Amino acid sequence: MQFELQILGSASATPMTGRHPTAQLLAVGEGRYLIDCGEGTQWRLLEHRRRLSSLRVIFISHLHGDHYFGLFGLLGTLHLQGRQEPLLIVGPPGLDLVLTTQAMHSGVQYGFNLTFVPVDTEAHALVYEDALVRVSTLPMRHRVPCCGYLFEEQPRRDRLVKESLPPGLSPAELAQLAQGHDLPANPATGRPALAHAAVSTPAAPPRRYAFCSDTLYTPALAELVRGADLLYHEATFLEELRERAAQTHHSTAAQAAELACAAGVGLLLIGHFSSRYKQLTAHLAEAQAIFPNTELATEGLVVAV
């Protein structure tokens, strides 16, 4: 089953040519989950031929404009396109008031049910679950209430091995095995008891993606994202501006790598780059010196887990 992340925007507060405000799209099976929605996100989705109608849930990390100003345009377009499927928005308290106020003063009455789930940005807690994923908050330390999100794939069923199945099994018996149950002996056919484990191979471990938004370097996060297959962590500055990073409640590329190393993740993506940096080779070198399996979260990048 697909588990794929696409970077739609990797800039920090000030956009620049070729670098857009934060937005990411996570695809898990048929589910599409938008993570942050900076200005112009709907344009980025269209440019990458991603159907706006496929969005299931939108997760917002905090109420700095570069992380949610694109919501107004996106919701308006969904309305104009005739969306009828419900849409869920998960984010910090206050976002619902902002959206309601904007809709009220622009005279918009959405043609679909829009539900808002407020989160406690200081807690690590389950905030959303469906048949494909479980999503929990990750507390960030920023200038305003802010959280990241941990996406965990729901456990998959073991796969039946066709060559190990005895002949003559009924559809009901096959369904029972597929659901992980053992079969009792069948006196009518003379078939002996059949253990599910004897005719299946274990499913791969659930895949995990951790999105760490704007934050001071927070070593305690390592325990919450330990062993994640993929970690995104902001890297607004280089180490030479470590004090500036602390003053603005951001992190450096080296700090992002230190967290990835401590957490033992599979792959680190760094992003949210300050517009002062026209080239990003120094960010990559700084992070890779600590955590070699690091990539830049550049515009349009697709990472399959």
Side-chain angles (χ1 to χ4, degrees), residues 6-281:
Q6 182 163 32
I7 304 300
L8 302 173
S10 63
S12 56
T14 306
M16 57 184 292
T17 302
R19 210 181 290 169
H20 303 79
T22 301
Q24 302 180 3
L25 183 68
L26 180 66
V28 182
E30 297 301 314
R32 299 293 181 270
Y33 309 93
L34 184 64
I35 309 167
D36 274 347
C37 189
E39 186 177 355
T41 293
Q42 65 171 324
W43 286 103
R44 301 295 291 147
L45 289 165
L46 292 172
E47 287 169 357
H48 291 290
R49 301 182 180 276
R50 304 292 187 177
R51 290 187 300 112
L52 302 184
S53 61
S54 68
L55 293 177
R56 181 173 294 192
V57 189
I58 300 174
F59 296 88
I60 301 298
S61 63
H62 64 294
L63 298 187
H64 280 160
D66 55 317
H67 292 260
Y68 84 102
F69 276 177
L71 264 180
F72 308 114
L74 175 59
L75 294 177
T77 297
L78 292 175
H79 170 68
L80 292 173
Q81 290 179 343
R83 181 186 177 105
Q84 295 182 344
E85 297 80 9
L87 181 66
L88 183 68
I89 298 180
V90 179
L95 178 57
D96 54 339
L97 178 61
V98 174
L99 294 175
T100 300
T101 302
Q102 188 274 334
M104 178 178 65
H105 287 287
S106 61
V108 173
Q109 291 184 332
Y110 296 121
F112 54 91
N113 184 29
L114 184 62
T115 303
F116 178 70
V117 175
V119 302
D120 182 351
T121 59
E122 296 183 2
H124 174 52
L126 181 70
V127 292
Y128 175 77
E129 183 173 17
D130 60 24
L132 298 170
V133 295
R134 291 167 49 89
V135 186
S136 302
T137 47
L138 297 169
M140 303 286 111
R141 297 165 59 204
H142 197 41
R143 289 169 293 162
V144 297
C146 180
C147 67
Y149 294 99
L150 177 64
F151 295 80
E152 300 177 277
E153 182 183 26
Q154 295 283 15
R156 287 172 282 175
R157 291 176 179 171
D158 294 346
R159 185 177 62 86
L160 294 180
V161 180
K162 184 177 180 180
E163 295 75 18
S164 300
L165 295 171
L169 291 176
S170 68
E173 289 174 325
L174 286 171
Q176 198 170 346
L177 284 171
Q179 292 169 9
H181 303 299
D182 297 335
L183 292 182
N186 188 334
T189 63
R191 178 185 53 73
L194 184 60
H196 169 264
V199 293
S200 65
T201 56
R207 291 163 287 187
R208 302 165 70 230
Y209 169 54
F211 169 80
C212 290
S213 187
D214 298 12
T215 186
L216 282 168
Y217 175 52
T218 306
L221 283 172
E223 193 58 41
L224 300 182
V225 303
R226 185 166 305 285
D229 300 277
L230 180 62
L231 168 66
Y232 168 87
H233 195 289
E234 72 124 292
T236 308
F237 298 103
L238 293 171
E239 271 295 290
E240 63 191 18
L241 292 179
R242 190 182 184 110
E243 290 187 9
R244 175 64 177 164
Q247 292 168 359
T248 58
H249 285 65
H250 284 295
S251 299
T252 69
Q255 289 172 328
E258 288 169 8
L259 183 73
C261 190
V265 303
L267 174 66
L268 169 65
L269 296 178
I270 53 173
H272 199 263
F273 308 112
S274 168
S275 60
R276 74 183 64 216
Y277 302 108
K278 309 309 177 186
Q279 301 296 325
L280 300 174
T281 52

